[in-house]
Amino acid sequence: MKLRDIGKRYGRQTWVLTHVQVDLPPGELIAFSGGNGSGKSTLLRIVVGVTRPTTGRVTDRPALIGYVPDRFPPDERMSALDYLTHMGRVSGLRGEAAGRRAESLLERLALVGGADTALRALSKGNAQKVALAQALMVPPQLLVLDEPWSGLDSSAHGVLAEIMNEITRAGGTLVFTDHRESVVRANATRIYRVAGGSVTLDENPTRMTRPTETRLVLRAPVNEYGIPRTADWRSCAGVVTAHDNGAHTTIHVTSAYADELILAALREGWSMVEAGMVHTSQVSVHGGAS
Amino acid sequence: MIALCRYTMAVMLHSQRYMHPMLLFVAVAVIFTGSSDSVPVAAIYGPVSGVLFVCSAWLTAALVNVEDPVRRVISVVHAGRSRSVLLATVLVALAMSLLVSGVLLFAPLLIGDHSITPDDLMVGVLAQLTGASTGVAIGLIVSRLVIRRTGYALVTALVLMAALSFTQGLPPINRLIRLLAYTPDAPGLLPATAGCAAVAVALLAASTLFTDFIAARRD
């Protein structure tokens, strides 16, 4: 998907956006970073297709789009389940399928307060979970999130990261905004800086990469004779190295597979001693032609 | 579209905003239909469709204004086009107006002593369609999508409704009311009423396109 020479102004007022050139390739986590009033929310609405640009063209916009606003309006007497089911139906799902999908999303996001409670009775963090869920009713090819971490409870941040990874791994495009530099650098594979209506690609080659490996130290379960169990960790998905020093096993695993591995180990009776990130020395540059 | 209409209907029912205009309509219409035992049936339709005109404008504006702008954006993303969302609002407002006026107008007439011919019934349907369509058309123009400030919207609504109701011979509303009031038994009533209904529906289509155009520019 591409934005070419996009400009936006309302009536005869100043231009909110001018000469914006943006590439949104599939499989990438793209951030629009900028302060308040920089035009990033308008840009997001143009990406999603709700706002028509005054000049320029948007090409190759995917058919299935999800949009998560920065705040979900609280004043609604409908329940979360009903609202999601309605949105699912509007997107083309059949009634039953929409209901089931809504329930499973609310369960995954751990909505506190009940799926049948009126939206206006939910806390802000829980209302934002509904905002996220509605965008996922039909798995989107393009997911656009406006300040996603700000409104969500910290307990849901893990699920949000999982969801973002799932979408990009499946070849979808993910676009988000945040005004905090640390959040943008920690999550984005491509950063656009938005300021005063202009958008520039951040080609800074010295920026920190996302850590790609996780280091796990596990303790094996012992049998009735006191002999620790062994396991062939190298055959597990994502494992880069595994060293057994008798008491503990140290495993380096690609971060995307870390959770699966930990879950499997815990199920088999292994104990986790330590977990941390490994920063690779290789720096990757994102910029230029896609 | 059906899913959008169901959603719009659910939002309307939850908000209870439909109650004010519909209760006003019911109250006034009951007065007209109740006190009309010796009057030709067609003569009731005129004033009732006039009241329906006002109440359906109110209902439409309330229906549009009750939906939060951010939630509207979400609906537009799900639907794919903002025009679909607007069309759903138009259909729900129209259906609600016609349903309430239909039940109120035809049930007592069928149960009571009036001798009502199929032509009369048809004139009644067309008269209500005229009132409801024109009302929804005005309601869209004075809603938040076109006129942001409630004060200006109210004044514009009153001016437009007065112009359409009192300008001598202007279709569809004034012309319809004069037709039904002064020539209630004329044989040419059906085609003339159909003409007013056609103008009203055309007005509604024009108003929908205009509102969509303005709303898209504002978004």
Side-chain angles (χ1 to χ4, degrees):
Chain A
M1 184 176 162
K2 296 178 172 53
L3 273 68
R4 286 288 170 264
D5 211 30
I6 296 286
K8 178 70 185 172
R9 75 164 166 181
Y10 293 100
R12 294 259 174 269
Q13 297 167 32
T14 50
W15 288 85
V16 177
L17 293 166
T18 45
H19 303 298
V20 173
Q21 319 274 20
V22 164
D23 284 335
L24 303 173
E28 291 223 33
L29 273 147
I30 300 148
F32 289 130
S33 169
N36 290 325
S38 55
K40 25 180 230 295
S41 291
T42 308
L43 188 55
L44 283 193
R45 286 203 310 273
I46 291 175
V47 166
V48 151
V50 162
T51 297
R52 276 173 228 180
T54 313
T55 58
R57 281 170 40 241
V58 177
T59 54
D60 299 324
R61 183 188 281 124
L64 299 172
I65 304 176
Y67 171 67
V68 184
D70 61 343
R71 52 136 211 122
F72 191 67
D75 187 21
E76 180 55 66
R77 285 173 180 79
M78 216 181 273
S79 73
L81 193 59
D82 283 344
Y83 178 73
L84 292 177
T85 311
H86 275 296
M87 287 297 111
R89 281 206 206 100
V90 172
S91 280
L93 295 177
R94 301 190 73 95
E96 271 180 48
R100 271 181 272 126
R101 176 84 177 145
E103 274 168 5
S104 80
L105 280 170
L106 290 177
E107 206 180 296
R108 185 174 180 192
L109 289 164
L111 184 80
V112 174
D116 291 323
T117 320
L119 286 169
R120 67 189 345 218
L122 295 174
S123 71
K124 181 178 171 235
N126 282 297
Q128 201 59 20
K129 286 179 190 170
V130 178
L132 179 57
Q134 61 75 23
L136 302 169
M137 283 302 289
V138 173
Q141 294 159 328
L142 169 67
L143 181 63
V144 175
L145 309 119
D146 201 345
E147 306 263 350
W149 290 276
S150 309
L152 274 178
D153 294 335
S154 46
S155 58
H157 288 182
V159 182
L160 174 62
E162 267 173 40
I163 290 167
M164 286 168 71
N165 277 322
E166 275 162 28
I167 289 178
T168 46
R169 252 189 258 154
T173 310
L174 203 131
V175 178
F176 71 95
T177 66
D178 209 291
H179 56 276
R180 291 165 296 177
E181 187 60 18
S182 54
V183 169
V184 165
R185 284 192 183 279
N187 292 282
T189 59
R190 180 184 278 244
I191 302 174
Y192 284 98
R193 304 284 173 194
V194 186
S198 310
V199 176
T200 42
L201 180 63
D202 185 339
E203 296 191 54
N204 186 351
T206 61
R207 79 175 158 83
M208 189 174 73
T209 58
R210 280 189 303 159
T212 53
E213 282 179 28
T214 304
R215 180 172 156 275
L216 297 171
V217 181
L218 302 171
R219 184 171 57 237
V222 289
N223 63 12
E224 60 264 41
Y225 303 108
I227 299 170
R229 200 187 304 172
T230 56
D232 185 13
W233 295 110
R234 285 193 195 83
S235 67
C236 294
V239 171
V240 179
T241 58
H243 296 290
D244 184 359
N245 69 355
H248 296 144
T249 306
T250 304
I251 303 167
H252 281 207
V253 60
T254 309
S255 298
Y257 294 97
D259 285 344
E260 272 177 57
L261 192 71
I262 292 168
L263 196 62
L266 292 173
R267 282 211 185 104
E268 292 295 314
W270 292 69
S271 286
M272 191 136 94
V273 175
E274 202 184 300
M277 292 300 196
V278 177
H279 291 275
T280 56
S281 55
Q282 196 180 13
V283 173
S284 52
V285 177
H286 294 278
S290 56
Chain B
M1 181 52 63
I2 294 173
L4 267 173
C5 289
R6 282 178 78 166
Y7 169 65
T8 310
M9 181 76 90
V11 170
M12 181 186 74
L13 292 173
H14 276 287
S15 74
Q16 296 187 333
R17 291 285 191 93
Y18 64 93
M19 291 197 116
H20 311 73
M22 291 296 105
L23 280 175
L24 175 67
F25 172 75
V26 166
V28 177
V30 160
I31 294 170
F32 278 119
T33 52
S35 60
S36 63
D37 285 336
S38 60
V39 168
V41 160
I44 310 163
Y45 293 149
V48 171
S49 67
V51 179
L52 186 63
F53 165 52
V54 172
C55 293
S56 51
W58 185 357
L59 174 70
T60 307
L63 196 54
V64 171
N65 297 345
V66 83
E67 197 176 30
D68 182 276
V70 176
R71 248 203 308 282
R72 188 169 195 274
V73 166
I74 296 175
S75 304
V76 168
V77 173
H78 280 275
R81 304 179 62 188
S82 76
R83 195 173 293 177
S84 310
V85 174
L86 185 65
L87 197 58
T89 308
V90 167
L91 290 174
V92 168
L94 201 58
M96 188 73 181
S97 305
L98 290 173
L99 190 71
V100 171
S101 69
V103 166
L104 201 67
L105 209 52
F106 297 112
L109 290 173
L110 290 171
I111 296 166
D113 284 339
H114 299 271
S115 58
I116 186 166
T117 68
D119 270 3
D120 283 337
L121 212 57
M122 204 56 211
V123 166
V125 168
L126 290 169
Q128 302 325 308
L129 184 63
T130 307
S133 299
T134 319
V136 174
I138 301 297
L140 283 181
I141 295 170
V142 302
S143 71
R144 169 185 68 74
L145 292 174
V146 178
I147 303 178
R148 289 255 164 95
R149 315 234 356 224
T150 29
Y152 298 157
L154 185 60
V155 168
T156 311
L158 291 172
V159 165
L160 286 174
M161 286 196 283
L164 281 169
S165 304
F166 302 124
T167 311
Q168 300 278 7
L170 180 71
I173 295 294
N174 185 273
R175 180 156 160 71
L176 178 79
I177 294 175
R178 293 175 74 78
L179 258 173
L180 296 175
Y182 299 131
T183 54
D185 294 322
L189 196 58
L190 193 54
T193 319
C196 290
V199 172
V201 171
L203 260 178
L204 179 57
S207 169
T208 307
L209 289 170
F210 174 72
T211 305
D212 185 51
F213 174 71
I214 298 288
R217 285 191 56 184
R218 287 258 179 77
D219 250 338

